[in-house]
Amino acid sequence: MTVEEFTGSVGVSNEIDRFPIGMRVLAVDDDPTCLKLLDCLLRKCQYQVTTTNQARTALNMLRENQNRFDLVISDVHMPDMDGFKLLELVGLEMDLPVIMLSGNSDPKLVMKGITHGACDYLVKPVRLEELRNIWQHVIRRKVESKSQSKSNNNQEKPSHEGGQEAGSGDPNGKVNRKRKDEEFEDLEDNGNEDDDPSTQKKPRVVWSIDLHRKFVAAVNQHGIEKAVPKRILDLMNVEGLTRENVASHLQKYRLYLKRISQQANMVVAFGGSKDISSYMRMNSLDGLGDFHSLSGSGRLPNAQLSSYSSSGMLGRLNSATGMTLHSLTAPTLIQPTHTQNLTGSVSSLNKFQPVVLPTPPNHQPTNLFQGIPTSFDLGQLQQNNKPNTQLPDFNTIDESRFFNGSSAFPTLGSQSCLNLVSSSSTFLDVPQPMSDNFHDQLPPHSSLNYGHTSSNNMITNTMIGFGSNITSTPSVPLEGQSESQRHVQYGKQSYGQYSSNTFSALVTAASPPNGGGLGGPVSQSNDLICGVYNRSNGNGPLPLQMNKQTHKSNSKLKMGSGENYLPSGYDSLDDLMNGMMKREQDPMIAMDGEFGFDPYSFGSSI
Amino acid sequence: MERNQMHRQIANTRKLMFDQGYLDEQFIQLEELQDGSNPNFVEEVVTLYYRDSARFLSNLDQALEKRPLDFSKLDNLMHQFKGSSTSIGAKKVKTECTHFRNYCNARNAEGCKRTFQNVKKEYTTLRKKLEAYFQMSRQVGPVETAYASSVVVCTIRYDTIHSLHLNIIHSNLPLRRCAARSH
């Protein structure tokens, strides 16, 4: 992408030309030496630099005025807040490109950065030449948002492209590239059509929980495949929201779902060979007696379950959530290939449920689930190798918040579970504007990127994370997730594995909200999902019934409106679930075959 | 003439630091960032580095005193210290840091302690060299720019080798903030 190209596009030239010079960068690094060096280097590139050595300060600055900065560069290793967490939050709340900096060039960390939504990952010491190019990330975002608006014209195509891109290795990069290419053509072709609106610097849209919930509801209504920005926008019927906003949010959401599903898959894969039943036992989910049944169900791949059980996390999960995870694992049965993923995701979902349920006072948690199902790409979930160790900690958190959910996820496989948990937690956070609570509650799982300082943001982040992770989840009633939870951070995978896992789990669990509409393997996951929903809805058994055994377990989990699982806040979660499930009736039923491996085939693939 | 000699001497000193492996390309990057608007950038950064890193070193010292050793904490501390050192181009220090981290990963307490001594040794050696270098540069450099004696600020609590006093306290301290904060 060259500046010339931009210039060619209508109305973009003014903005673009300015960018490399005077671009406003916020640099965050706790090391004063590095910060000073960075400051000097950036000034050499003629950017406007603001520095801070505290992540919290940076966040405050960003929140105060969302339009104050164009780009954020942040160190990974910081004492007050993990760089990845900051990354997620910024992406979610502010939709700003974030570049990670680290002295460590370990590919795993780089991958983590990418999955959390970083635009780039630089290794210290940073060279001037590298910094000279960072403005491209800002431009890219703008182009993408423009292309998204354009994509509204060709709704299916771009969204599919975006979604598919998201599924690929580097979603951000690839999608951007494709979109950019497409966009350039469009821009040139369309002429000045969207000049005024697109060239003007639009105020950032803050995806509040409500907004996000509406978004998810709209998406689910269409089905993830058919959900194009324009239709979503119409359904949402929110004033002041543009197609571009929706389009970019949708993209993030997809990435999030994809990520979730990937994580779920990884978790599943990671699972290993523990005995599921033992796993189940480990999770003494209140009222989730059915896990055993789940495991018992032929559908559940014992291997899978066992793998989960092996994860320490499960053991820790005392809450039903843990159980749900089991059920999640069960879904793997649905599709042999996917089962693993499903299981993971399902479990994560299950776990998720408990989490989600309790907290959202305003039914926001439901949104959480919505995000999850969509991207259950179990195969991808397998990537989560983090053992459940992480999840177990969740159990400690009895708050309905995600912890509960997270505990459930442990079954998935630590990581995925954790992600879910984290996601769920985030979601939960949203309703309760105390993101910090989560942190406190959450045992210091390194894997969990809770870092959501603001409850809303957190939830959204997680939600978003989920969405992106679970690209392949079956039609998960995403709607449930509150918009706020969803915050724009789809891309931000800070929740990383956890969120994706949780989402996957949630998704799967949520999917059969229709009350057993799920058929086949998918149903299992759906059940889980439904289970999740059920809990939130307090319908308890409803979703559970959906898919035979899996559902059973799910239902158990959900039981009774999750009170069993989550001490408090379940109600909200229940509501969330209910909302989600209801919305997902159609997709759920469709979930027959693959469990949402295809992000778009949310309901259809199953 | 004397000035030329001084210049030559400074250049030699500098070259020696590179040749002996004390500094690497990153230091050159720092030098390149130094210009009219930022005339003492290198010295400022180095001073900042010594001031800040003393803290890490003392933390590492303390952590190494504990029994049993908390390797992950040590690793974390060293990671940060290494990052700083890399930023100013302190090559030998960086190498020793890497060794330290390897021993940490291998959970080799003896190895850690030994390498840490090396780290400290390299750190102080470099400091002396840099201090001398800056001192010389100041003497020949533009007198107008205040040369902070601040390099001394680095002494900090950690460094017990106070022989490094680079106390050439000139009146104008470009590194005002460093001076102010020196303790």
Side-chain angles (χ1 to χ4, degrees):
Chain A
M1 171 169 104
T2 65
V3 176
E4 289 74 13
E5 285 178 28
F6 280 110
T7 313
S9 42
V10 183
V12 177
S13 54
N14 294 340
E15 281 184 336
I16 307 271
D17 290 348
R18 283 204 310 269
F19 266 122
I21 310 242
M23 182 172 79
R24 301 156 305 169
V25 182
L26 174 63
V28 189
D29 192 336
D30 65 315
D31 185 335
T33 313
C34 299
L35 192 62
K36 183 176 171 69
L37 180 60
L38 191 59
D39 178 75
C40 190
L41 286 168
L42 289 169
R43 283 182 203 284
K44 265 263 189 238
C45 299
Q46 292 176 291
Y47 302 140
Q48 260 188 54
V49 191
T50 308
T51 60
T52 173
N53 61 353
Q54 294 257 336
R56 303 244 163 229
T57 315
L59 263 180
N60 292 338
M61 279 199 266
L62 286 165
R63 283 178 185 151
E64 265 172 52
N65 179 357
Q66 300 232 337
N67 280 331
R68 194 174 154 194
F69 299 105
D70 295 310
L71 179 74
V72 179
I73 298 187
S74 163
D75 186 33
V76 164
H77 198 107
M78 289 193 288
D80 66 331
M81 185 194 289
D82 183 35
F84 293 116
K85 211 181 290 185
L86 176 67
L87 164 63
E88 267 188 2
L89 286 173
V90 172
L92 252 177
E93 291 182 38
M94 290 124 213
D95 188 19
L96 276 178
V98 182
I99 294 180
M100 302 307 294
L101 256 191
S102 176
N104 198 334
S105 62
D106 184 5
K108 293 197 207 83
L109 276 185
V110 179
M111 174 59 84
K112 193 172 175 193
I114 302 291
T115 52
H116 282 52
C119 293
D120 205 348
Y121 191 102
L122 302 177
V123 179
K124 290 182 189 171
V126 184
R127 291 191 317 274
L128 189 65
E129 308 79 63
E130 291 175 331
L131 291 176
R132 280 201 196 280
N133 286 331
I134 58 176
W135 58 267
Q136 63 177 283
H137 301 295
V138 181
I139 300 289
R140 188 176 294 137
R141 284 219 173 192
K142 288 188 186 287
V143 172
E144 279 177 0
S145 75
K146 284 200 178 67
S147 69
Q148 276 174 353
S149 58
K150 297 238 179 264
S151 75
N152 289 334
N153 299 332
N154 335 318
Q155 290 173 349
E156 310 262 43
K157 181 167 161 262
S159 43
H160 274 282
E161 246 186 83
Q164 284 159 7
E165 288 306 337
S168 54
D170 181 354
N172 288 337
K174 285 194 189 159
V175 176
N176 295 347
R177 273 192 286 281
K178 274 220 174 171
R179 278 191 181 278
K180 264 189 310 200
D181 294 343
E182 195 196 7
E183 181 59 13
F184 282 128
E185 291 179 7
D186 286 348
L187 285 175
E188 258 130 27
D189 294 343
N190 297 337
N192 304 328
E193 197 176 290
D194 293 336
D195 268 355
D196 291 345
S198 53
T199 52
Q200 284 168 9
K201 194 140 187 171
K202 298 185 271 281
R204 291 194 195 283
V205 171
V206 173
W207 283 88
S208 66
I209 296 191
D210 285 337
L211 204 56
H212 183 73
R213 231 192 318 183
K214 279 196 199 148
F215 171 83
V216 178
V219 167
N220 290 331
Q221 210 160 326
H222 283 309
I224 197 72
E225 292 169 19
K226 294 222 175 102
V228 287
K230 182 152 176 61
R231 290 192 199 160
I232 296 173
L233 184 66
D234 292 342
L235 262 184
M236 283 174 71
N237 197 18
V238 170
E239 265 196 37
L241 198 64
T242 66
R243 252 176 356 185
E244 290 85 349
N245 299 136
V246 174
S248 68
H249 195 70
L250 178 66
Q251 181 183 22
K252 289 201 181 89
Y253 185 65
R254 290 207 185 104
L255 290 179
Y256 169 78
L257 294 181
K258 179 175 170 0
R259 181 156 52 103
I260 302 261
S261 69
Q262 285 181 353
Q263 294 188 346
N265 287 343
M266 281 171 59
V267 173
V268 177
F270 188 81
S273 47
K274 289 246 174 120
D275 178 9
I276 298 178
S277 56
S278 60
Y279 191 67
M280 305 278 273
R281 281 191 290 270
M282 288 165 58
N283 305 320
S284 50
L285 295 169
D286 307 331
L288 287 180
D290 276 340
F291 258 146
H292 292 281
S293 56
L294 272 183
S295 52
S297 67
R299 309 254 225 125
L300 286 178
N302 286 337
Q304 308 254 336
L305 287 178
S306 54
S307 57
Y308 291 119
S309 54
S310 50
S311 51
M313 301 197 306
L314 284 179
R316 306 269 197 99
L317 296 176
N318 303 318
S319 61
T321 54
M323 296 285 287
T324 43
L325 285 181
H326 274 299
S327 44
L328 286 177
T329 52
T332 55
L333 295 178
I334 298 180
Q335 292 247 336
T337 52
H338 304 302
T339 30
Q340 289 195 340
N341 300 333
L342 284 178
T343 323
S345 48
V346 175
S347 17
S348 51
L349 283 178
N350 290 335
K351 294 212 179 156
F352 222 49
Q353 294 176 357
V355 174
V356 175
L357 293 173
T359 43
N362 40 0
H363 306 289
Q364 291 174 350
T366 51
N367 292 339
L368 291 176
F369 288 105
Q370 296 190 344
I372 309 184
T374 51
S375 53
F376 244 127
D377 185 352
L378 294 179
Q380 293 166 349
L381 288 178
Q382 312 224 343
Q383 299 155 18
N384 293 332
N385 300 324
K386 272 250 180 124
N388 305 320
T389 53
Q390 292 169 350
L391 287 180
D393 293 337
F394 287 102
N395 289 327
T396 58
I397 306 174
D398 70 346
E399 278 259 28
S400 55
R401 308 244 214 116
F402 21 98
F403 288 99
N404 294 326
S406 48
S407 52
F409 290 116
T411 51
L412 283 186
S414 49
Q415 293 193 335
S416 39
C417 297
L418 284 177
N419 292 327
L420 284 175
V421 178
S422 53
S423 324
S424 50
S425 42
T426 29
F427 287 107
L428 293 177
D429 269 343
V430 175
Q432 304 166 1
M434 292 176 309
S435 51
D436 291 335
N437 293 342
F438 281 106
H439 296 291
D440 299 336
Q441 293 181 344
L442 271 184
H445 286 285
S446 51
S447 53
L448 287 177
N449 299 313
Y450 284 86
H452 305 293
T453 45
S454 62
S455 56
N456 288 340
N457 295 333
M458 290 190 41
I459 300 212
T460 3
N461 290 337
T462 38
M463 296 291 301
I464 305 238
F466 284 122
S468 56
N469 289 340
I470 312 187
T471 45
S472 59
T473 46
S475 55
V476 170
L478 296 175
E479 294 133 358
Q481 297 166 347
S482 54
E483 297 86 0
S484 58
Q485 293 174 341
R486 279 318 183 96
H487 276 303
V488 187
Q489 290 266 354
Y490 289 129
K492 301 283 174 186
Q493 307 232 345
S494 53
Y495 301 94
Q497 304 150 341
Y498 299 114
S499 51
S500 57
N501 291 337
T502 39
F503 269 105
S504 329
L506 285 177
V507 172
T508 45
S511 57
N514 297 323
L518 304 175
V522 173
S523 56
Q524 281 191 353
S525 50
N526 290 334
D527 287 340
L528 289 175
I529 299 181
C530 291
V532 175
Y533 285 112
N534 287 332
R535 274 206 284 199
S536 51
N537 298 328
N539 292 337
L542 173 66
L544 295 175
Q545 287 139 16
M546 299 202 307
N547 297 327
K548 308 104 183 205
Q549 314 96 334
T550 53
H551 287 298
K552 258 198 294 184
S553 46
N554 293 330
S555 54
K556 287 271 176 87
L557 297 179
K558 303 193 216 162
M559 307 257 197
S561 49
E563 284 102 20
N564 300 332
Y565 315 118
L566 301 169
S568 55
Y570 262 103
D571 296 335
S572 54
L573 201 56
D574 287 346
D575 291 336
L576 188 62
M577 298 295 283
N578 285 328
M580 296 201 331
M581 294 186 351
K582 285 178 186 143
R583 278 178 267 201
E584 274 307 317
Q585 294 179 4
D586 292 342
M588 293 312 237
I589 302 198
M591 304 211 311
D592 245 332
E594 332 189 287
F595 209 42
F597 288 92
D598 174 357
Y600 298 103
S601 59
F602 191 76
S604 57
S605 61
I606 305 188
Chain B
M1 170 131 133
E2 237 181 57
R3 208 177 166 84
N4 287 344
Q5 267 180 350
M6 272 302 264
H7 275 293
R8 242 177 299 128
Q9 201 176 345
I10 291 172
N12 286 343
T13 310
R14 178 180 171 279
K15 185 167 184 303
L16 206 58
M17 284 197 285
F18 280 100
D19 290 344
Q20 290 175 339
Y22 285 101
L23 295 175
D24 60 19
E25 312 78 48
Q26 181 61 19
F27 193 78
I28 298 178
Q29 282 260 321
L30 293 182
E31 290 178 327
E32 284 175 3
L33 286 172
Q34 183 160 299
D35 57 14
S37 62
N38 228 338
N40 298 305
F41 180 68
V42 186
E43 200 174 339
E44 287 172 9
V45 176
V46 170
T47 306
L48 190 55
Y49 163 71
Y50 276 104
R51 186 158 47 101
D52 186 62
S53 55
R55 181 167 49 94
F56 282 121
L57 291 177
S58 72
N59 286 343
L60 275 163
D61 256 336
Q62 283 173 12
L64 280 168
E65 298 289 322
K66 299 205 181 120
R67 296 283 175 280
L69 287 184
D70 182 350
F71 286 108
S72 65
K73 180 174 175 191
L74 287 173
D75 191 65
N76 271 344
L77 286 170
M78 187 48 88
H79 172 76
Q80 294 185 284
F81 176 71
K82 184 181 171 197
S84 292
S85 306
T86 312
S87 298
I88 68 154
K91 194 168 171 185
K92 286 199 176 182
V93 178
K94 185 171 71 158
T95 310
E96 293 299 332
C97 288
T98 310
H99 291 324
F100 182 91
R101 292 190 80 198
N102 290 341
Y103 280 117
C104 260
N105 290 338
R107 303 187 107 73
N108 181 340
E110 269 319 297
C112 279
K113 294 199 190 120
R114 213 176 34 233
T115 26
F116 186 60
Q117 296 308 314
N118 288 347
V119 169
K120 285 196 280 186
K121 186 172 72 98
E122 293 299 341
Y123 172 85
T124 5
T125 308
L126 179 64
R127 184 144 124 201
K128 280 190 228 167
K129 287 184 183 280
L130 284 172
E131 281 175 347
Y133 172 70
F134 287 131
Q135 196 172 342
M136 279 197 285
S137 305
R138 264 181 261 125
Q139 284 169 7
V140 288
V143 179
E144 306 79 53
T145 52
Y147 297 113
S149 54
S150 48
V151 179
V152 180
V153 178
C154 311
T155 44
I156 322 190
R157 2 182 180 137
Y158 168 79
D159 188 36
T160 52
I161 306 178
H162 288 297
S163 55
L164 314 181
H165 286 336
L166 282 198
N167 295 320
I168 305 186
I169 309 259
H170 291 289
S171 53
N172 295 334
L173 302 177
L175 303 177
R176 267 188 305 272
R177 71 173 163 194
C178 295
R181 292 194 209 142
S182 59
H183 23 309

